[in-house]
Amino acid sequence: MSDVPYGVRHAALATALAAVLAVTGCAPEPEAEPPPPSTGTSPPNTLAKVDVGDALTVTATVDQVVDERALVVRDVDLADRSLLVLTRRPVEATPPQLLSAEGTVVRFSYRRLAARHHLTDPAAYRTFEGQKALVASQVTVWR
């Protein structure tokens, strides 16, 4: 290499060094892929992890229609596997349809919520008294 001009030798060495660095992993790292979008499903033990006043979104199957604005949904991720959902408008859903409900967690009190949600027979709600329930601002029934 003694008869190769100094500038050419220097350029060749720089090119070779750049190639070695690229091959050995010294090149800039590619950008990480963003995480997959949320599916909107509830993590395990969802109801146990939320407090009264918290926002909650659940996707579950309709287990029972109590009134036109009250129904019980069932899912393994819910405490006792079920949740009373109160709606602002009548919801046309029948077991075992799937629905998504978005709203606020409340402590159920028939006396406090009956008039607002047009609840009828107090006996039908006795098992929910004092339990967490969801007052839904939005309900989507998947047909």
Side-chain angles (χ1 to χ4, degrees):
M1 267 194 142
S2 61
D3 50 341
V4 177
Y6 176 77
V8 173
R9 237 186 342 193
H10 185 57
L13 283 172
T15 302
L17 181 60
V20 168
L21 290 175
V23 170
T24 60
C26 292
E29 301 231 356
E31 290 185 31
E33 287 188 32
S38 172
T39 60
T41 57
S42 306
N45 302 314
T46 299
L47 201 54
K49 293 180 180 181
V50 295
D51 293 320
V52 170
D54 287 351
L56 178 67
T57 300
V58 296
T59 298
T61 57
V62 175
D63 185 54
Q64 174 188 3
V65 176
V66 185
D67 272 321
E68 66 179 7
R69 297 181 189 197
L71 42 93
V72 178
V73 295
R74 182 165 300 280
D75 190 270
V76 296
D77 294 337
L78 299 170
D80 298 329
R81 299 189 185 264
S82 65
L83 174 67
L84 177 65
V85 177
L86 304 172
T87 64
R88 293 181 179 173
R89 294 185 195 99
V91 173
E92 291 184 29
T94 57
Q97 282 183 299
L98 185 68
L99 67 76
S100 293
E102 180 181 327
T104 304
V105 176
V106 298
R107 186 76 53 198
F108 183 77
S109 165
Y110 182 86
R111 189 180 66 201
R112 188 171 52 86
L113 298 168
R116 183 181 324 154
H117 294 282
H118 305 278
L119 308 180
T120 56
D121 182 17
Y125 296 94
R126 203 164 279 131
T127 60
F128 303 107
E129 197 66 38
Q131 302 296 316
K132 290 179 184 175
L134 181 67
V135 173
S137 56
Q138 183 174 335
V139 175
T140 302
V141 178
W142 304 100
R143 302 192 189 275

